[in-house]
Amino acid sequence: MTNKDFIMDSISDISIGVPIYISDLAAKLAEKDGIDEKKASAAVSVAMKRIMDQGLCPKLRIYQKGIYYLAEETPFGETGINKELLIQHKYLSPDIGYETGYAALYHFGLTTQMPGERVLVTNRAKDCQRLDETLGVYVRPPKVKVTAKNKDYLQVLDVLELMEKAPVDNSDPYGRVADILIQYNLKYSMLLALAEHYYPQNLIFQIAHTATAAEGVNG
């Protein structure tokens, strides 16, 4: 099987709009042929160019260097790449970031107002908040490195910190946060530990309000 055949076979079952990363294809080729990934990456890049130049896969499009996708025509024009998956890959997965800001308040059911912008906390961000104009999201560095163990806690703490100045219209916001803690199986002890080290002092009182609201619901 040639590299072109391997690539064609690898992308044949990929859904329309799903990002196709040269790095992922290179890892598969490296495993198949027993070569290092740098050499495999170069081979995949050459094969992808030949596939496009020769029209072997009419649906194949290049998004930017190293990223391709499959497109199709619709009554509204040609489909594009799935930017939500690009955002996930670049800033959130695997467990390197989370959504914060008003969008998190909305998704948590604390406000009915649709957010005008999206803000992501991610280990990939440096120094200060900035706009990724291509993907249309703001990214900012975390207070502490995001991991699988602390990601949900940090998101809840961000929400609590924002609640005092945000347009919260839930009739029982602390009760709602208490429900989320139960839903995510989060512990108050861990929430307090992170709050004491990385957040303003008044957040301790908000955690106490949340615990009281939880007792009211359960009691």
Side-chain angles (χ1 to χ4, degrees):
M1 177 182 285
T2 66
N3 289 337
K4 283 195 300 183
D5 292 336
F6 174 77
I7 298 301
M8 291 287 290
D9 184 62
S10 297
I11 68 177
S12 61
D13 294 328
I14 295 178
S15 299
I16 298 296
V18 173
I20 301 169
Y21 295 95
I22 290 291
S23 56
D24 291 343
L25 295 173
K28 292 180 181 179
L29 182 63
E31 183 178 2
K32 180 180 78 73
D33 290 350
I35 58 177
D36 65 76
E37 288 198 16
K38 186 175 181 180
K39 183 176 180 181
S41 180
V44 169
S45 296
V46 170
M48 289 291 271
K49 186 177 186 307
R50 287 176 178 170
I51 289 170
M52 294 197 71
D53 289 347
Q54 296 172 18
L56 299 179
C57 183
K59 293 183 177 182
L60 187 63
R61 303 286 184 273
I62 183 167
Y63 173 69
Q64 63 183 47
K65 184 178 179 180
I67 307 176
Y68 293 75
Y69 66 100
L70 299 177
E72 67 179 3
E73 287 293 333
T74 75
F76 307 102
E78 187 175 277
T79 58
I81 196 167
N82 187 322
K83 288 196 174 183
E84 191 59 39
L85 292 178
L86 288 173
I87 290 169
Q88 287 286 332
H89 182 272
K90 187 174 183 179
Y91 294 123
L92 302 177
S93 299
D95 297 314
I96 61 168
Y98 59 89
E99 190 144 18
T100 190
Y102 287 5
L105 289 173
Y106 178 80
H107 292 312
F108 276 16
L110 292 166
T111 179
T112 55
Q113 295 190 32
M114 291 290 288
E117 61 187 33
R118 294 180 65 188
V119 182
L120 309 178
V121 172
T122 173
N123 296 338
R124 293 260 170 84
K126 307 296 182 184
D127 301 327
C128 60
Q129 181 169 299
R130 68 171 180 83
L131 174 64
D132 183 324
E133 295 183 4
T134 301
L135 296 178
V137 294
Y138 287 90
V139 295
R140 72 182 190 213
K143 297 177 185 292
V144 61
K145 183 179 179 180
V146 179
T147 67
K149 291 183 178 180
N150 70 17
K151 179 180 68 173
D152 292 336
Y153 287 98
L154 294 174
Q155 186 180 41
V156 169
L157 287 169
D158 280 9
V159 164
L160 285 172
E161 186 179 18
L162 189 59
M163 275 172 54
E164 291 189 336
K165 54 185 176 181
V168 173
D169 51 28
N170 187 297
S171 60
D172 182 19
Y174 290 105
R176 177 58 189 147
V177 174
D179 290 341
I180 291 166
L181 292 175
I182 294 171
Q183 180 183 336
Y184 287 9
N185 195 29
L186 304 182
K187 302 182 187 302
Y188 280 95
S189 57
M190 180 67 168
L191 206 64
L192 283 166
L194 287 168
E196 288 176 351
H197 280 87
Y198 304 108
Y199 287 82
Q201 185 65 33
N202 68 310
L203 219 62
I204 303 298
F205 298 105
Q206 289 178 271
I207 294 172
H209 287 318
T210 304
T212 301
E215 289 175 1
V217 172
N218 297 329

